[in-house]
Amino acid sequence: MRTFALCLRDTHRCEELKGIETFVGVDDTGSFAIRAGHAPLIAALGFGLARFKPEDAAWRYLALPGAVLNFADNRLELLTRRFYLYDDYRIAATALREELETEERTLAETRASIRALEQHMLKRLWQLRREGIKL
């Protein structure tokens, strides 16, 4: 069986896995698979799960908050903010759901902060204008 190398890189670490038979990921066009000898490919993976099968082993799951995928010369590189490897699909799906919920909360808090800052700035501009200060 022909295989390829999988290099996972995030902001804290880099892992290289050899002997990968198949990788399955999802981008905006849908799901796709990569096997050894695949044509060069660049893709942007969305938030979600990908999976890969090492030779003589069960499928492994990769939770990603999005990634850039580059496949060339039988080497697949994934560049992401962070990644999580799992052997069990259920655990991976649960972890991904928790990660998504955390990111949604953070995004909501950031939006609320921006709204509060905008309101404060508008109030201050109104006060300056009332005081006759030209801007």
Side-chain angles (χ1 to χ4, degrees), residues 60-72:
R60 296 194 67 197
Y61 300 90
L62 186 60
L64 303 161
V68 175
L69 175 149
N70 181 31
F71 185 81

Side-chain angles (χ1 to χ4, degrees), residues 11-75:
T11 57
H12 301 290
R13 63 186 170 147
C14 176
E15 284 192 36
E16 178 137 356
L17 307 168
K18 296 188 180 194
I20 306 301
E21 291 179 356
T22 306
F23 175 88
V24 178
V26 178
D27 66 6
D28 287 344
T29 64
S31 65
F32 60 91
I34 295 174
R35 298 192 70 142
H38 194 285
L41 173 70
I42 295 176
L45 302 180
F47 191 103
L49 288 176
R51 63 185 173 139
F52 62 93
K53 184 171 183 331
E55 61 184 339
D56 303 326
W59 285 96
R60 296 194 67 197
Y61 300 90
L62 186 60
L64 303 161
V68 175
L69 175 149
N70 181 31
F71 185 81
D73 300 322
N74 271 338
R75 181 178 171 83

Side-chain angles (χ1 to χ4, degrees), residues 107-124:
L107 183 58
E109 291 168 2
T110 301
R111 286 181 179 149
S113 275
I114 290 170
R115 275 193 300 276
L117 181 59
E118 287 173 343
Q119 289 173 352
H120 177 74
M121 288 174 55
L122 289 172
K123 182 179 178 182
R124 184 65 183 136

